[in-house]
Structure formats: structure tokens, C-alpha cells
């Protein structure tokens, strides 16, 4: 049985064609989250021709900036998308971070902000264990460690 607040308790992987949301009480950031405090925008992998190429670059960046990370799963989906799942030591135990690299970009939505929309869409989720303060069961923050980790990977990639 998984302990409440563990990264694994929230599940991982793809659900209904996208990465899972963040559980309400976990230290987590996700492109699929509906909670504004846990939401992060997806990345656009500019100049990358395939989801496989993006997965290779992403793996190299993770190895460079998160040396304790271990790749636990790489899956090429039938539609050409790539799913990657890593684990790494976190502030309160083992953290999980995962990526879903779409085989297509945003396309032309005719939005002013989409000037650079020719790249692939990269969604992600980073979730860590949560500790609670007894007796109130108030979750203890990891001080945005999940967001900082994803930002570091993004800056390394230049996406």
C-alpha cells in the first residue's frame, strides 16, 4: 500500500492521452494541472524534427543537470509520441518526473503569441513526496523544488 503524500500514490503515466494532473496535496507541477499553483506551461521544442530527436535531447539535458536522475521508462506510442519517466532523490524521498513529447506542434492557431509554433509540444509533470506536520496534517512545502527542476531542464535545452 502506498503512503499518502508519496509521489507514487498520485500515479504516473498517460491518462486519456495526456499526463496526469497533480494531486491536490502533493509538491507537484504539471502542464495538465487545473490548480493554478501547480500549473506550468508546456514547452515548444523549436527546430526539432521528430519526437524521437526531442527525446534524445531531453535525456541528454536531464543527465547534464540532474545527475542523480534515473530513466525508468521510455515508450514510443503508436501515434509517434514519446513518453519518458525518471526518478531522482528529492527533499522528502524519491521524486518522479515525466515528459510526453507530442509528434506535432501547436499548428497555426492564428494567435499573436504563436509566432514560433513550428516546434513539437512537450508536456511534463514533476511530483515529489509530501511530508505533513503533526497533528494538523498540513503539507510541508518543498520550496518549489519541482518547478525549479523543470526550469533548469528547460534552460539547458533552450526551449
Amino acid at each position: 500500500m502506498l503512503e499518502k503524500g508519496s509521489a507514487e500514490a498520485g500515479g504516473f503515466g498517460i491518462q486519456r492521452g495526456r499526463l496526469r494532473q497533480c494531486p491536490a496535496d502533493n509538491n507537484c507541477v504539471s502542464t495538465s494541472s487545473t490548480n493554478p499553483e501547480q500549473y506550468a506551461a508546456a514547452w515548444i521544442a523549436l527546430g526539432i524534427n521528430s519526437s524521437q530527436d526531442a527525446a534524445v535531447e531531453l535525456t541528454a539535458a536531464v543527465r547534464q543537470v540532474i545527475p542523480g536522475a534515473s530513466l525508468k521508462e521510455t515508450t514510443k506510442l503508436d501515434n509517434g509520441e514519446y513518453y519518458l519517466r525518471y526518478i531522482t532523490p528529492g527533499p522528502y524521498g524519491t521524486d518522479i518526473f515525466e515528459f510526453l513529447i507530442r509528434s506535432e506542434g501547436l499548428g497555426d492557431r492564428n494567435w499573436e503569441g504563436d509566432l514560433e509554433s513550428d516546434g513539437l509540444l512537450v508536456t511534463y509533470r514533476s511530483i515529489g513526496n509530501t511530508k505533513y506536520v503533526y497533528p494538523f496534517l498540513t503539507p510541508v512545502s518543498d520550496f518549489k523544488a519541482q518547478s525549479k527542476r523543470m526550469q533548469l531542464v528547460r534552460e539547458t535545452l533552450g526551449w
Side-chain angles (χ1 to χ4, degrees), residues 45 48-63 71 73-76 80-84 86 99-102 120 122 157 159:
I48 307 294
N49 296 324
S50 72
S51 54
Q52 181 176 2
D53 291 345
V56 169
E57 285 196 29
L58 187 54
T59 298
V62 167
R63 286 186 179 137
L71 181 61
E73 182 179 351
T74 303
T75 304
K76 181 178 181 181
E81 297 177 347
Y82 267 81
Y83 170 76
L84 304 152
Y86 296 85
F99 300 92
L100 179 60
I101 304 167
R102 303 285 185 175
L120 302 176
V122 180
L157 289 164
W159 293 346

Side-chain angles (χ1 to χ4, degrees), residues 3 130-140:
E3 180 182 326
T130 302
K131 296 297 178 191
Y132 296 91
V133 176
Y134 180 81
F136 306 108
L137 294 181
T138 303
V140 177

Side-chain angles (χ1 to χ4, degrees), residues 19-41:
L19 294 175
R20 296 171 184 263
Q21 297 184 51
C22 291
D25 59 351
N26 275 74
N27 292 312
C28 181
V29 63
S30 174
T31 56
S32 296
S33 185
T34 56
N35 177 342
E37 294 179 15
Q38 296 176 318
Y39 173 78

Side-chain angles (χ1 to χ4, degrees), residues 71-128:
L71 181 61
K72 289 298 181 185
E73 182 179 351
T74 303
T75 304
K76 181 178 181 181
L77 306 175
D78 291 339
N79 59 5
E81 297 177 347
Y82 267 81
Y83 170 76
L84 304 152
R85 179 173 52 92
Y86 296 85
I87 63 168
T88 190
Y92 306 122
T94 301
D95 292 356
I96 298 170
F97 58 104
E98 53 192 344
F99 300 92
L100 179 60
I101 304 167
R102 303 285 185 175
S103 54
E104 299 175 353
L106 292 174
D108 185 7
R109 300 183 299 178
N110 201 23
W111 290 9
E112 185 177 330
D114 284 349
L115 298 176
E116 301 283 342
S117 64
D118 61 340
L120 302 176
L121 186 66
V122 180
T123 60
Y124 58 90
R125 183 175 81 146
S126 181
I127 182 169

